[in-house]
C-alpha cells in the first residue's frame, strides 16, 4: 500500500527551482507506509532513536527491487570504499542504465563524481536523485557541500536547511549551517 504525499517540505519546495522539480511531480510522489512513517519519526527533533531510523531509511532507499541492480549498487559502494571512484562510477552508471528511476543510483554516482573532483556531474546526479526522492537528506547535504565549495553560500544554506528540515539530527548539517553563519558575518540563518 502506498501513501500519497500531497505536499513537499516547504524548504525543498522553495529550492525546487534549482532542481527543476515540477510541482506536479512533487505532489504525485508515492511513499510506502514504512517510508512515510520513518520520515515522520525522523523529522521529530526530540527523536532519540534517530540513528536507527536513519539506517532503516537508508536500507529502504538502497533496495531497488532488482537483484542485479542491488548487486551493481553494492559493487559500486565496494569500489568507493577502496577509493576507486572510476570503477565505482562505471558500476553506478550501469546501475542507472538498468534502473533509471532508482534515486540511490544517482546519489551514489554523485558521491563518486564528487570524489573524482567532477562537481558539475555530481550536481547533475544529485538533481536527478532529488527529483526521484526529494526527501533524500544525504543528497541535499551533498548539494549543500558542493555549493559551499563553489562559494554559492545562499544555495548551500538552502540545501542544508532542506536537509535539516527532513533530518534535524545530523551534526554535519548543523556544523555546515554554523560555518555559513560565521562566513556570512554572523547573520542569523
Amino acid at each position: 500500500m502506498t501513501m500519497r504525499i500531497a505536499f513537499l517540505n516547504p524548504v525543498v519546495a522553495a529550492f525546487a527551482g534549482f532542481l527543476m522539480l515540477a510541482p506536479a511531480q512533487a505532489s504525485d510522489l508515492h511513499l510506502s507506509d514504512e517510508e512515510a512513517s520513518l520520515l515522520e519519526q525522523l523529522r521529530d527533533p526530540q527523536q532519540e532513536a534517530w540513528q536507527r531510523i536513519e539506517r532503516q531509511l537508508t536500507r529502504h532507499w538502497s533496495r531497488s527491487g532488482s537483484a542485479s541492480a542491488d548487486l551493481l549498487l553494492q559493487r559500486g559502494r565496494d569500489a568507493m570504499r577502496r577509493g576507486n571512484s572510476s570503477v565505482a562510477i562505471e558500476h553506478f552508471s550501469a546501475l542507472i542504465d538498468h534502473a533509471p528511476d532508482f534515486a540511490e543510483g544517482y546519489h551514489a554516482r554523485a558521491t563518486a563524481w564528487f570524489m573524482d573532483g567532477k562537481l558539475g556531474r555530481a550536481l547533475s546526479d544529485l538533481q536527478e536523485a532529488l527529483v526521484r526522492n526529494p526527501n533524500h537528506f544525504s543528497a541535499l547535504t551533498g548539494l549543500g557541500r558542493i555549493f559551499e565549495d563553489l562559494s554559492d553560500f545562499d544555495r548551500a544554506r538552502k540545501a542544508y536547511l532542506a536537509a535539516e528540515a527532513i533530518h534535524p539530527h545530523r551534526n554535519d548539517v548543523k556544523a555546515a549551517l554554523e560555518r555559513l553563519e560565521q562566513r556570512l558575518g554572523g547573520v542569523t540563518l
Side-chain angles (χ1 to χ4, degrees):
M1 173 181 262
T2 59
M3 183 174 162
R4 184 176 178 88
I5 300 299
F7 64 92
L8 184 63
N9 175 314
V11 179
V12 176
F15 199 58
F18 167 75
L19 301 174
M20 295 182 288
L21 180 62
Q25 285 176 292
S27 64
D28 289 339
L29 291 176
H30 292 274
L31 301 180
S32 69
D33 290 340
E34 173 191 12
E35 183 179 3
S37 173
L38 290 170
L39 284 165
E40 183 179 331
Q41 292 173 56
L42 188 64
R43 281 188 181 101
D44 178 0
Q46 304 305 315
Q47 178 60 254
E48 293 181 13
W50 66 267
Q51 292 166 320
R52 176 186 53 79
I53 296 165
E54 178 184 72
R55 282 191 304 273
Q56 287 176 296
L57 269 170
T58 301
R59 272 194 307 272
H60 180 80
W61 290 341
S62 295
R63 291 189 302 251
S64 68
S66 162
S68 57
D70 291 348
L71 179 61
L72 287 168
L73 179 63
Q74 187 57 51
R75 286 184 177 170
R77 286 177 172 170
D78 291 344
M80 285 188 34
R81 273 191 283 282
R82 292 189 307 272
N84 195 338
S85 58
S86 60
V87 170
I89 290 166
E90 289 176 19
H91 286 299
F92 297 140
S93 294
L95 167 59
I96 290 166
D97 288 344
H98 180 75
D101 292 327
F102 183 45
E104 191 57 30
Y106 293 96
H107 174 251
R109 189 170 71 177
T111 304
W113 285 128
F114 181 83
M115 287 175 56
D116 209 31
K118 298 196 171 58
L119 300 186
R121 290 181 177 191
L123 279 172
S124 178
D125 276 353
L126 288 171
Q127 177 180 341
E128 293 296 331
L130 289 165
V131 164
R132 289 157 179 80
N133 180 1
N135 292 306
H136 202 302
F137 46 81
S138 293
L140 286 163
T141 302
L143 202 58
R145 170 69 190 273
I146 291 172
F147 284 139
E148 190 175 355
D149 287 353
L150 295 172
S151 298
D152 189 342
F153 302 121
D154 186 51
R155 283 188 176 164
R157 181 177 61 86
K158 288 178 183 175
Y160 288 135
L161 286 171
E164 184 181 52
I166 296 165
H167 189 337
H169 310 282
R170 288 189 61 159
N171 290 327
D172 58 337
V173 173
K174 291 174 187 176
L177 287 167
E178 288 175 16
R179 235 185 358 262
L180 287 173
E181 182 176 343
Q182 290 174 352
R183 180 174 263 305
L184 296 172
V187 175
T188 302
L189 299 176

